[in-house]
């Protein structure tokens, strides 16, 4: 069966060009010109990939992306959003469901091919690992939006074996780590976009919080609590003139089964297993 790409663009010429660009890569294009048609064809044909123009006559492209990503039937279909705005991805909105990739007009056929490759790779990796769902939220760096994204965790993880208690813990971990991203990573610049990923694996859930800040070295935190002596840092904070606190990382670490930062320290990954099993599954 040939792989299919749903091309969603209300401008006939642009739609045709996209269709002609995907054919050489072995994809059969399915061309639609509105959001309503897109939804119908997704349900009917279940395409391998969606190329979605942001401006449609009936539904906003962001809205369509949101609908498809929140639906468990369509969640794993990769979406590449095509936009005329240079800052569409980075543009600060309240809470927005993110696409898998973004292409900014005008783009080259090579950029399109690369975006498609990445999207298909994302899909294949998830399929291989048995991931049943993933959603990305791009949120404006404000605590009320962070709280909204944290609340949405409950809906998304509702069909997993996590207990209410686990969900509450995970929400708290998101608030702590998202709070750090806003306060320390983004220095409270509300326009910067924070990306939160929730993923459902066969035996666990994964939460990733990524900020656009410079990061930090988690091994060098004399002003934060550590397990051996959880209050020693308070004096140091006092000397440094820092606000009270320094317990966030220790707390979040204790609420999940696995917890690590990327090399630069601007992305934290947390994993919670469904049962108290010590399998290597993540
Ligand atoms: N995303 C981040 N970017 C930069 N620095 C961070 C980030 N997250 C945490 N930090 C650093 O780690 C320290 C400890 O964080 P935490 O344990 O939450 O305590 P607190 O936020 O109360 O200072 C912060 O004071 C900050 O120096
Ligand atoms: Mg903190």
């Amino acid at each position: 069966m040939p792989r299919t790409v749903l091309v969603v663009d209300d401008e006939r010429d642009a739609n045709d060009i996209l269709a002609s660009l995907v054919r050489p890569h072995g994809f059969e294009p399915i061309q639609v010109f509105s959001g309503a048609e897109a939804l119908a064809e997704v349900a009917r044909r279940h395409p391998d990939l969606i190329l979605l123009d942001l401006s449609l006559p009936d539904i906003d492209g962001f809205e369509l992306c949101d609908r498809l990503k929140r639906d468990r039937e369509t969640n794993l279909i990769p979406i590449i959003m095509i936009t005329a705005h240079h800052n569409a991805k980075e543009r600060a909105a309240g809470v927005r469901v993110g696409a898998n990739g973004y292409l900014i007009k005008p783009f080259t056929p090579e950029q399109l091919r690369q975006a498609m490759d990445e999207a298909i790779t994302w899909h294949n990796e998830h399929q291989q690992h048995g991931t049943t769902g993933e959603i990305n939220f791009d949120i404006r760096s404000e605590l009320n939006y962070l709280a909204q994204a944290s609340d949405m965790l409950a809906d998304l993880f509702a069909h997993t074996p996590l207990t209410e208690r686990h969900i509450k813990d995970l929400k708290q971990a998101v608030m702590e780590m998202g709070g750090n991203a806003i306060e320390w990573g983004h220095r409270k610049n509300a326009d910067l976009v924070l990306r939160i990923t929730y993923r459902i694996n066969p035996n666990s859930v994964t939460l990733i919080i990524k900020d656009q800040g410079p990061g930090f070295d988690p091994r060098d935190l004399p002003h934060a609590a550590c397990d051996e002596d959880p209050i020693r840092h308070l004096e140091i904070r006092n000397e440094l003139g820092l606000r009270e606190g320094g317990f966030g990382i220790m707390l979040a670490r204790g609420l999940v089964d696995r917890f690590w930062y990327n090399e630069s320290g601007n992305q934290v990954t947390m994993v919670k297993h469904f049962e108290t099993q010590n399998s290597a599954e993540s």
Side-chain angles (χ1 to χ4, degrees):
M1 258 202 328
R3 295 182 296 176
T4 52
V5 181
L6 187 73
V7 180
V8 192
D9 194 325
D10 65 324
E11 281 173 48
R12 165 63 72 177
D13 290 348
N15 198 314
D16 286 344
I17 289 170
L18 282 170
S20 71
L21 287 173
V22 303
R23 277 196 198 93
H25 305 301
F27 287 95
E28 180 199 324
I30 304 166
Q31 295 179 255
V32 296
F33 304 89
S34 70
E37 274 179 280
L39 285 169
E41 286 304 291
V42 167
R44 209 167 67 86
R45 305 279 300 269
H46 212 82
D48 296 290
L49 180 71
I50 300 173
L51 293 179
L52 174 62
D53 192 78
L54 187 55
S55 46
L56 295 171
D58 50 352
I59 315 176
D60 176 22
F62 286 118
E63 161 86 29
L64 189 61
C65 178
D66 190 296
R67 298 240 305 248
L68 294 170
K69 288 297 181 189
R70 279 177 203 273
D71 185 337
R72 291 197 293 154
E73 292 291 317
T74 52
N75 175 274
L76 283 181
I77 303 176
I79 298 179
I80 296 171
M81 205 174 266
I82 298 169
T83 146
H85 315 291
H86 191 64
N87 56 351
K89 189 178 114 186
E90 307 302 336
R91 197 176 63 192
V95 180
R96 181 178 279 162
V97 172
N100 296 91
Y102 294 86
L103 274 173
I104 294 135
K105 289 186 221 176
F107 52 85
T108 64
E110 176 54 25
Q111 284 170 321
L112 173 67
R113 189 196 58 79
Q114 204 176 324
M116 285 172 55
D117 274 356
E118 282 168 16
I120 296 286
T121 302
W122 170 86
H123 175 85
N124 290 346
E125 273 174 11
H126 278 347
Q127 200 146 50
Q128 239 165 35
H129 293 133
T131 301
T132 52
E134 181 184 286
I135 195 156
N136 293 288
F137 292 105
D138 292 323
I139 72 167
R140 194 176 155 80
S141 292
E142 289 180 41
L143 285 178
N144 61 320
Y145 295 124
L146 175 63
Q148 279 181 37
S150 148
D151 284 341
M152 285 186 256
L153 182 154
D155 299 338
L156 293 158
F157 293 165
H159 300 280
T160 67
L162 293 173
T163 63
E164 242 168 79
R165 176 64 216 224
H166 291 143
I167 299 274
K168 209 173 142 220
D169 287 351
L170 293 178
K171 281 166 72 169
Q172 190 177 358
V174 167
M175 287 308 290
E176 288 294 343
M177 295 302 94
N180 278 355
I182 291 173
E183 181 175 14
W184 307 114
H186 291 169
R187 298 271 159 196
K188 298 185 181 164
N189 177 354
D191 288 330
L192 293 176
V193 173
L194 190 65
R195 173 157 271 220
I196 299 184
T197 302
Y198 299 140
R199 186 179 300 151
I200 303 172
N201 314 303
N203 300 311
S204 63
V205 293
T206 303
L207 300 87
I208 304 168
I209 295 171
K210 183 174 177 48
D211 66 58
Q212 299 179 45
F216 71 111
D217 183 353
R219 289 157 305 183
D220 181 26
L221 290 176
H223 59 293
C226 65
D227 292 326
E228 294 93 75
D229 190 351
I231 56 168
R232 188 184 52 195
H233 71 287
L234 293 175
E235 230 168 273
I236 297 167
R237 284 182 87 93
N238 203 6
E239 277 164 29
L240 293 171
L242 288 168
R243 62 155 174 75
E244 281 178 30
F247 296 101
I249 294 175
M250 189 177 74
L251 184 85
R253 207 184 268 281
L255 292 171
V256 295
D257 296 314
R258 290 176 64 208
F259 180 104
W260 70 93
Y261 282 94
N262 66 347
E263 205 163 322
S264 57
N266 68 348
Q267 174 176 308
V268 61
T269 304
M270 300 181 277
V271 174
K272 180 79 193 167
H273 291 292
F274 291 150
E275 275 136 4
T276 47
Q277 58 195 7
N278 36 15
S279 83
E281 181 57 64
S282 61

